[in-house]
């Protein structure tokens, strides 16, 4: 298989190294270099199946649009340096605090917005999401499982730190952008998936919607909002890995199957696999008492504390719309006529990971305190 080639783990580790450096960055230049180190490996991994035309097309789109976003981010950083005199987070925070009683320089505001545009591309937030469905469909499923979770979590964490530490005094400017991007992502994620017939494209629009929900916590701005953001990202990690682990099990005669209708009657041919996917779909839809419900509850409560009532109402409505396509998958598995069964995959590691994801998703409500406390400590660190 393609993922058995020695370049695959090397690229994976290089991307992981870049993302680990990213979350610890304290300077705009180190942030940019770390982000690019993480992204360049992903461009190559997208096209890892060389004979796959879809993968090559998706990688080209991803690379071109990613280069454009990186260029905008770097130009925004140069504007910030030009108008603030530094790229260091501490020095930026001191400079902005010293001039907070004066009107903000237009160049500084434009620079910050351009940096935000670059981040919105990296986390596939609307209106910079156009690469996501094609890349999810074309790239190998293990690669998609990786960059559907890890780069987004890393980028959102450093994004929150950037906005809430050096640029905290400019909250009135960046909060409007975050609210718009959050609303657009939730709505497009909910409506875009309604007509999808490919399970990976459906999960792509689902991930766009989940980024919108996560940004609700960032829009709240306060420490409670960052805590809610981190809780949501942690729970999303388990839900997403569980869903893509299920997609990796969708094989017939050694060939990957991605059509949603191929799940017909799965509960009759493989009840345990169907139950796993049902848990993930119900959780992503936000149905209690599964973990996804609590993730949305925390981000919406943090927004309510900051009186962002319109954002919460739109989020709830989009969540209701999104529940349709999640429940549609469950309906096909449990109520349609049984089709040809999937191949049996005797991989202990895959079984352990899927069982862990299902356990966390179903049992989070039993003991949520450890995660809530850890997220609170992390939120304090991110805003310092």
């Amino acid at each position: 298989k393609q993922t058995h080639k020695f370049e695959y783990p090397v690229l994976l580790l290089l991307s992981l190294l870049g993302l680990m450096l990213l979350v610890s960055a304290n300077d705009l230049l180190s942030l940019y270099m770390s982000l690019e180190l993480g992204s360049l490996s992903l461009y190559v991994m997208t096209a890892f199946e060389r004979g796959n035309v879809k993968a090559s097309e998706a990688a080209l789109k991803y690379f071109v649009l990613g280069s454009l976003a990186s260029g905008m981010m770097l130009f925004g950083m140069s504007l910030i340096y030009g108008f603030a005199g530094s790229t260091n987070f501490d020095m930026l925070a001191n400079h902005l605090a010293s001039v907070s009683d004066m009107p903000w320089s237009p160049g500084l505001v434009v620079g910050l917005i351009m940096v935000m545009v670059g981040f919105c591309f990296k986390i596939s937030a609307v209106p910079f999401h156009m690469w996501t469905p094609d890349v999810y469909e074309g790239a190998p499923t293990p690669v998609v499982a990786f960059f559907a979770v890890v780069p987004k979590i890393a980028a959102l964490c450093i994004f929150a730190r950037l906005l809430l530490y050096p640029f905290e005094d400019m909250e009135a400017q960046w909060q409007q952008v975050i609210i718009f991007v959050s609303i657009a992502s939730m709505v497009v994620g909910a409506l875009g998936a309604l007509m999808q017939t490919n399970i990976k494209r459906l999960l792509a629009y689902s991930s766009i919607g989940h980024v919108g929900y996560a940004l609700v916590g960032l829009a709240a701005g306060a420490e409670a909002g960052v805590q809610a953001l981190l809780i949501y990202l942690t729970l999303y990690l388990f839900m997403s890995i569980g869903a893509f682990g299920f997609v990796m099990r969708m094989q017939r005669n050694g060939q990957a199957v991605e059509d949603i209708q191929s799940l017909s009657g799965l509960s009759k041919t493989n009840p345990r696999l169907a139950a796993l996917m049902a848990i993930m779909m119900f959780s992503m839809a936000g149905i209690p008492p599964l973990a996804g419900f609590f993730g949305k509850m925390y981000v919406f409560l943090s927004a309510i504390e900051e009186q962002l009532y319109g954002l919460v109402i739109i989020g709830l409505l989009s969540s209701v719309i999104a529940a349709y396509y999640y429940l549609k998958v469950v309906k096909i598995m449990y109520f349609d006529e049984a089709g040809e069964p999937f191949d049996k995959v005797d991989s202990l590691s895959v079984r352990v990971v899927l069982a862990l994801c299902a356990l966390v998703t179903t049992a989070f409500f039993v003991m949520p305190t450890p995660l809530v406390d850890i997220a609170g400590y992390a939120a304090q660190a991110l805003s310092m």
Side-chain angles (χ1 to χ4, degrees), residues 117-341:
V117 166
F119 271 110
C120 287
F121 174 87
K122 300 300 180 183
I123 62 177
S124 67
V126 176
F128 309 101
H129 67 292
M130 63 289 292
W131 59 273
T132 313
D134 291 332
V135 171
Y136 274 51
E137 183 181 9
T141 304
V143 176
V144 179
F146 176 78
F147 67 58
V149 177
V150 183
K152 287 186 181 181
I153 292 177
L156 277 166
C157 287
I158 193 64
F159 196 19
R161 174 165 166 74
L162 180 70
L163 295 181
L164 293 171
Y165 176 44
F167 292 101
E168 181 182 10
D169 293 304
M170 296 179 67
E171 182 177 346
Q173 282 72 33
W174 58 254
Q175 187 185 49
Q176 301 173 44
V177 179
I178 295 296
I179 290 174
F180 167 77
V181 171
S182 175
I183 291 174
S185 298
M186 289 187 291
V187 173
V188 171
L191 298 178
L194 292 178
M195 303 304 293
Q196 299 302 321
T197 58
N198 183 291
I199 187 69
K200 289 168 73 174
R201 291 184 73 89
L202 184 145
L203 290 175
Y205 281 103
S206 170
S207 72
I208 293 169
H210 283 292
V211 166
Y213 298 123
L215 288 176
V216 172
L218 183 55
E223 190 175 298
V226 181
Q227 181 183 17
L229 166 67
L230 295 174
I231 293 171
Y232 193 92
L233 290 177
T234 304
L235 299 177
Y236 170 71
L237 182 150
F238 289 99
M239 293 186 294
S240 187
I241 292 295
F244 280 105
F246 171 87
V247 175
M248 290 172 63
R249 294 284 304 273
M250 292 174 60
Q251 294 184 8
R252 284 187 182 137
N253 303 318
Q255 298 295 319
V257 179
E258 298 176 2
D259 186 64
I260 295 176
Q261 287 299 325
S262 64
L263 299 174
S264 296
L266 182 63
S267 62
K268 302 174 181 66
T269 58
N270 197 330
R272 283 186 294 183
L273 194 60
L276 167 81
M277 191 56 166
I279 289 170
M280 298 307 156
M281 293 293 99
F282 282 134
S283 183
M284 288 185 173
I287 295 175
L290 300 176
F293 166 77
F294 292 96
K296 291 180 180 179
M297 182 187 74
Y298 282 116
V299 293
F300 288 151
L301 286 176
S302 67
I304 289 173
E305 289 179 8
E306 297 300 314
Q307 299 182 353
L308 300 175
Y309 303 121
L311 180 60
V312 174
I313 291 172
I314 294 173
L316 290 172
L317 291 175
S318 64
S319 185
V320 172
I321 296 171
Y324 168 80
Y325 59 81
Y326 292 126
L327 297 179
K328 177 185 175 182
V329 174
V330 178
K331 174 259 180 188
I332 290 173
M333 291 191 299
Y334 279 87
F335 297 102
D336 286 10
E337 291 295 326
E340 184 182 348

